[in-house]
Amino acid sequence: MNTSNTFFGHPIGLRTLFLTEMWERMSYYGMRALLVLYMTGAVSGFNPGLGWSQVDAQAIYGIYVGMVYFMVVPGGWIADNILGHQKAVLIGAFIIALGHFTLAMPIEQSFFLGLTFVVLGTGLLKGNISTIVGELYKNLDEKRDSGYTIFYMSINIGSTLGFLVCAYLGEKIGWHWGFGAAGIGMAFGVIQFIKHRNLLGDAGMHPNEMSDKKRSRLSTYMYASLVGMFLVIGAGLMGLITVDPRFFAEKFAYFLTIVAGVYFVYLFLFAGLTASERKNLILLFLLFIGAAAFWAGFDQSAGSLNIFARDYTDLSVLGFVIPVGWLQFANPMFVVIFAPIFAGIWAYLARINLNPNLPIKFAIGLLFMALSFLVMIIAVDIALESSPVGMQWLVLTYLFQTWGELALSPIGLSAFSRYGPKRYMGQMFGLWFLASAIGGVMAGLLGGEALDGGLETISPVFSFMIQYYLVIAIVLIGLSFIIKGAKENAN
Ligand code: GLN
């Protein structure tokens, strides 16, 4: 390999993917930080919001996050069979930018249309860009995991940038400026991708082999579903269909759970797996449950915790009131600080033969998540006495959540590609993100429940979540001794 043409010692194409993902996450997290604030903001005043109830707003937020990650599944299929991964990323990035610019229009009607574009675009981009990362390492297997670690950094640099710019503009100047900034960020990503796409070489260039006839039939299905979708959205925008957001979110959560369940059962029973592949699948199923539960807590950051920051936290620093969204900095900043430390700890434990296996790492992730909500319960207690509380509570909450994320998220991604049945590899990212989808929609439902009665209703919901985290963590720890496949480590 020509070393002058590398990116931190990795294939140079990683730089293209790094920057594209960075801008995409900048736009995703930046806009997401504004979403519930905008939906629940008062309809009059200097920066008028939509004035919706917490329950509705949180449910819509949950549906949005759930849809974003759910669409990774069809997005992967479209790239595998019709477009190829590179083209899917490019079109996806373009549609995301279009979505943010649609949101930037200061009219209420553009809201759901904009969200739909972002959902569709992210479906095309998020999983497929992760797939191309893997493809860069076809003959460099030992480097792949560290390639993904670098890639994970781009996510967090991007989100820091998003919180910084979009939250400031959106909250201090006007919501639509924040949405527009997200669009500009994504547009930078599109330009960058077009300019440096050649560095990817052949990675992600070609869809699966199939006859032209079959491909054109599949394309027809794809366009037909898109048209169908837009007809439904159009009817919704014209007021022909109205749906109660919480009702829809609940059904959507069931739907996603059934999809995941059916897929696991199909793989287990009908995919012709060998005995050891089946054993690994059980392991992945357990990790899947852990991950879905984890994201249901993690995604409270832009949901209920965002509202806690706005309504019950003192945001002044040296006389300047920081934007609510800035508190979410804590997560990506802590990722950048602690990722190398966690990697070092795992490597050290591996040297002394004590590296915890996958289910134990996931259990650690869930225990940190439980701890983070314990901190929030204390914060809520203090707020009930005298509100607002200091920022340190949310910062500490995010610190524990980040530690949990580092125990679970980076290794989860590689575990799914490593232990998934080989012939179904392409779909493993989709499956991993399906856990994020279930987590996201659950986050919206739980967040709405928590905020339904102001401060009083927060703690019961958070303690319910803590109990669940403890139960799942204990089950994972218990089963890790039983399942032999779990003895292997992901890194
Ligand atoms: N923070 C990571 C990202 O944005 C993981 C998010 C998720 O899977 N829910 O990619």
Side-chain angles (χ1 to χ4, degrees):
M1 196 185 355
N2 174 5
T3 46
S4 63
N5 209 14
T6 59
F7 182 61
F8 296 113
H10 285 258
I12 186 72
L14 186 63
R15 192 185 70 193
T16 308
L17 303 175
F18 182 101
L19 292 172
T20 311
E21 179 71 349
M22 185 188 89
W23 286 119
E24 186 268 328
R25 290 285 101 177
M26 177 270 179
S27 69
Y28 174 73
Y29 281 108
M31 184 280 263
R32 198 178 101 147
L34 298 173
L35 208 50
V36 297
L37 301 178
Y38 171 59
M39 284 191 279
T40 59
V43 284
S44 56
F46 113 89
N47 193 13
L50 296 175
W52 294 347
S53 76
Q54 280 300 340
V55 173
D56 286 353
Q58 298 287 332
I60 292 168
Y61 163 72
I63 296 166
Y64 168 70
V65 176
M67 284 283 185
V68 158
Y69 289 116
F70 172 56
M71 281 296 151
V72 170
V73 180
W77 180 87
I78 289 171
D80 284 347
N81 295 301
I82 303 173
L83 297 173
H85 299 106
Q86 276 195 27
K87 213 186 269 174
V89 167
L90 179 59
I91 298 176
F94 183 80
I95 298 177
I96 294 172
L98 185 69
H100 291 302
F101 287 130
T102 308
L103 284 168
M105 293 195 279
I107 41 168
E108 204 176 313
Q109 287 76 359
S110 72
F111 185 66
F112 287 110
L113 190 64
L115 291 185
T116 308
F117 281 133
V118 180
V119 161
L120 293 177
T122 316
L124 279 176
L125 186 144
K126 180 78 175 148
N128 293 321
I129 196 166
S130 316
T131 308
I132 309 178
V133 172
E135 287 183 35
L136 289 176
Y137 295 89
K138 268 198 190 111
N139 304 313
L140 300 163
D141 254 354
E142 72 295 349
K143 275 206 149 168
R144 181 177 299 139
D145 276 1
S146 68
Y148 273 114
T149 308
I150 296 178
F151 186 67
Y152 210 76
M153 287 293 155
S154 72
I155 291 173
N156 292 288
I157 297 171
S159 55
T160 309
L161 211 65
F163 294 136
L164 184 73
V165 178
C166 302
Y168 181 81
L169 291 175
E171 291 179 40
K172 299 286 182 191
I173 307 214
W175 304 115
H176 301 282
W177 286 88
F179 297 142
I184 290 175
M186 190 67 261
F188 284 146
V190 173
I191 295 167
Q192 186 280 138
F193 189 80
I194 294 174
K195 252 175 102 180
H196 300 295
R197 187 179 160 186
N198 58 328
L199 300 175
L200 296 171
D202 215 29
M205 221 21 202
H206 307 290
N208 292 339
E209 302 262 330
M210 70 176 70
S211 67
D212 286 349
K213 204 164 131 217
K214 185 162 176 212
R215 204 180 315 276
S216 88
R217 202 177 61 225
L218 292 183
S219 310
T220 316
Y221 291 150
M222 180 182 80
Y223 288 121
S225 343
L226 269 178
V227 171
M229 223 171 121
F230 276 99
L231 285 179
V232 174
I233 294 165
L237 288 176
M238 289 190 301
L240 299 177
I241 320 174
T242 44
V243 220
D244 170 45
R246 175 154 51 174
F247 175 83
F248 186 88
E250 277 167 10
K251 300 295 168 268
F252 186 41
Y254 287 129
F255 167 78
L256 291 174
T257 312
I258 292 170
V259 169
V262 166
Y263 190 60
F264 272 110
V265 170
Y266 165 79
L267 285 179
F268 194 81
L269 294 179
F270 306 111
L273 304 188
T274 64
S276 82
E277 282 178 324
R278 282 208 176 124
K279 224 185 266 169
N280 284 341
L281 193 68
I282 298 181
L283 170 69
L284 293 185
F285 178 66
L286 291 172
L287 299 184
F288 184 90
I289 295 176
F294 181 86
W295 298 120
F298 184 87
D299 283 333
Q300 298 298 329
S301 57
S304 66
L305 298 182
N306 211 7
I307 298 297
F308 187 84
R310 182 189 71 185
D311 294 348
Y312 310 113
T313 306
D314 178 10
L315 295 170
S316 46
V317 181
L318 305 170
F320 171 69
V321 179
I322 62 163
V324 179
W326 277 15
L327 269 184
Q328 290 176 62
F329 271 164
N331 168 253
M333 252 168 44
F334 287 141
V335 169
V336 175
I337 296 171
F338 286 102
I341 299 178
F342 267 67
I345 296 176
W346 302 140
Y348 171 73
L349 290 176
R351 270 202 304 280
I352 58 170
N353 252 337
L354 279 179
N355 194 8
N357 60 35
L358 279 165
I360 302 242
K361 280 185 181 156
F362 269 58
I364 295 173
L366 292 170
L367 291 175
F368 275 129
M369 188 50 81
L371 195 60
S372 79
F373 282 104
L374 201 61
V375 172
M376 277 314 296
I377 289 181
I378 300 173
V380 169
D381 270 354
I382 298 175
L384 280 165
E385 293 280 306
S386 90
S387 167
V389 300
M391 283 184 248
Q392 69 277 15
W393 295 104
L394 277 169
V395 173
L396 190 62
T397 298
Y398 289 136
L399 176 69
F400 288 139
Q401 294 195 350
T402 307
W403 284 351
E405 178 185 358
L406 287 171
L408 176 147
S409 178
I411 59 163
L413 196 69
S414 73
F416 270 67
S417 57
R418 199 177 282 214
Y419 296 115
K422 291 286 161 282
R423 275 177 301 127
Y424 292 85
M425 208 39 85
Q427 292 157 38
M428 286 298 126
F429 278 121
L431 195 56
W432 171 246
F433 284 116
L434 204 51
S436 292
I438 296 178
V441 66
M442 288 306 298
L445 284 167
L446 290 163
E449 204 73 20
L451 296 166
D452 200 13
L455 267 179
E456 269 83 13
T457 41
I458 297 181
S459 292
V461 175
F462 285 180
S463 22
F464 165 83
M465 290 165 69
I466 292 176
Q467 286 164 26
Y468 260 82
Y469 288 131
L470 294 181
V471 171
I472 302 173
I474 292 169
V475 171
L476 280 173
I477 293 172
L479 289 174
S480 73
F481 293 105
I482 303 172
I483 302 170
K484 222 183 132 282
K487 295 283 173 240
E488 294 173 69
N489 286 302
N491 54 4

